[in-house]
Amino acid sequence: MRAMILAAGRGERMRPLTDHTPKPLLMVGGKPLIVWHIERLALSGFRELVINHAHLGQQIEAALGDGAQWQLQIRYSAEGTALETAGGIANALPLLGDQPFLVINGDVFTDIDYAKLSLPEGKLAHLVMVDNPPQHAAGDFGLANGMVVETAAQTLTFSGVGIYHPQLFDSVIKGQPAKLAPLLRQAMQQQQVSGQHHAGIWHDIGTPERLQQLDRWLRTQQGAK
């Protein structure tokens, strides 16, 4: 299975840190945020990775290269202007192929075991859900019998990690911005979105303060080893 890391966001909430450095290259725990994902993907057996970029994207390519140092191949999907999540994925489909693929938001940190994720037969998407963080207390969707549903007694937050079938993006016009949530909701209505709950480590790195908190936590963990 191929994987994609979404790295095209401008990172407005991370300014001024992202004025001169793309968000995926911000340092946390002694290495760029995106490298944590790449290392975990490599350890999970992934060998082909696509990374999209827009803002300061050439810095990302210069820093990561072709992926050889992690024993995987990195290919890049450059966007003149950020195409949002679904638009960015649709734009990268020629690099992702015609089989289901894993997508990871570049601005999260997690210990999700990528090797154990799969897309059930006949589904268009499989989402990893997490407990609602303080900054997103209302959550996104619910889980019922292994399926992601729009309304539920208890909501969870989409982790930003999911497996998608290329057909989910059939309606997206290549090169045009498009959001992911409407596509997922439409697929949910057809019972085509499965999901699972992850109770382990997950952080949304959306502000400089949360980046600093994660950096302190990681350094504490490293010092304890």
Side-chain angles (χ1 to χ4, degrees):
M1 183 187 296
R2 295 175 183 174
M4 179 176 186
I5 299 177
L6 300 173
R10 174 63 175 83
E12 290 290 346
R13 292 180 299 166
M14 296 295 287
R15 296 184 68 187
L17 298 179
T18 52
D19 285 345
H20 304 289
T21 303
K23 184 161 59 171
L25 294 185
L26 293 177
M27 301 296 288
V28 60
K31 67 186 75 171
L33 179 59
I34 197 169
V35 170
W36 290 93
H37 290 308
I38 296 173
E39 290 178 345
R40 181 166 288 274
L41 285 167
L43 287 172
S44 298
F46 286 82
R47 293 294 173 259
E48 295 182 77
L49 171 63
V50 175
I51 299 174
N52 71 331
H53 63 69
H55 174 63
L56 302 176
Q58 291 306 311
Q59 288 189 33
I60 295 176
E61 293 197 25
L64 305 179
D66 62 4
Q69 61 180 306
W70 298 285
Q71 288 77 55
L72 49 70
Q73 178 192 49
I74 298 177
R75 290 187 290 178
Y76 298 94
S77 179
E79 301 171 15
T81 56
L83 299 174
E84 303 200 46
T85 302
I89 295 172
N91 195 59
L93 284 179
L95 302 177
L96 291 166
D98 57 5
Q99 298 300 310
F101 49 85
L102 171 69
V103 176
I104 305 164
N105 281 5
D107 57 358
V108 300
F109 180 91
T110 182
D111 65 349
I112 292 170
D113 188 346
Y114 301 138
K116 292 184 177 179
L117 301 179
S118 62
L119 182 66
E121 187 71 28
K123 305 304 180 189
L124 292 178
H126 180 82
L127 309 183
V128 180
M129 309 295 291
V130 295
D131 294 333
N132 300 329
Q135 70 271 14
H136 193 61
D140 294 310
F141 310 117
L143 270 179
N145 300 316
M147 300 297 292
V148 181
V149 295
E150 231 186 312
T151 57
Q154 181 180 4
T155 60
L156 295 167
T157 291
F158 174 40
S159 68
V161 177
I163 296 181
Y164 307 108
H165 193 285
Q167 289 180 358
L168 179 67
F169 305 94
D170 281 352
S171 64
V172 179
I173 301 173
K174 187 175 180 181
Q176 295 295 315
K179 296 181 180 297
L180 179 62
L183 300 182
L184 291 175
R185 290 192 172 95
Q186 184 176 7
M188 285 177 209
Q189 294 173 2
Q190 305 298 322
Q191 297 289 303
Q192 291 180 318
V193 182
S194 59
Q196 66 187 73
H197 178 236
H198 175 67
I201 297 169
W202 181 83
H203 298 271
D204 169 25
I205 318 304
T207 65
E209 293 74 23
R210 294 206 288 272
L211 182 73
Q212 293 169 3
Q213 290 169 4
L214 176 60
D215 182 66
R216 288 194 295 268
W217 180 79
L218 283 170
R219 293 184 183 279
T220 299
Q221 297 297 307
Q222 292 163 351
K225 292 180 179 179

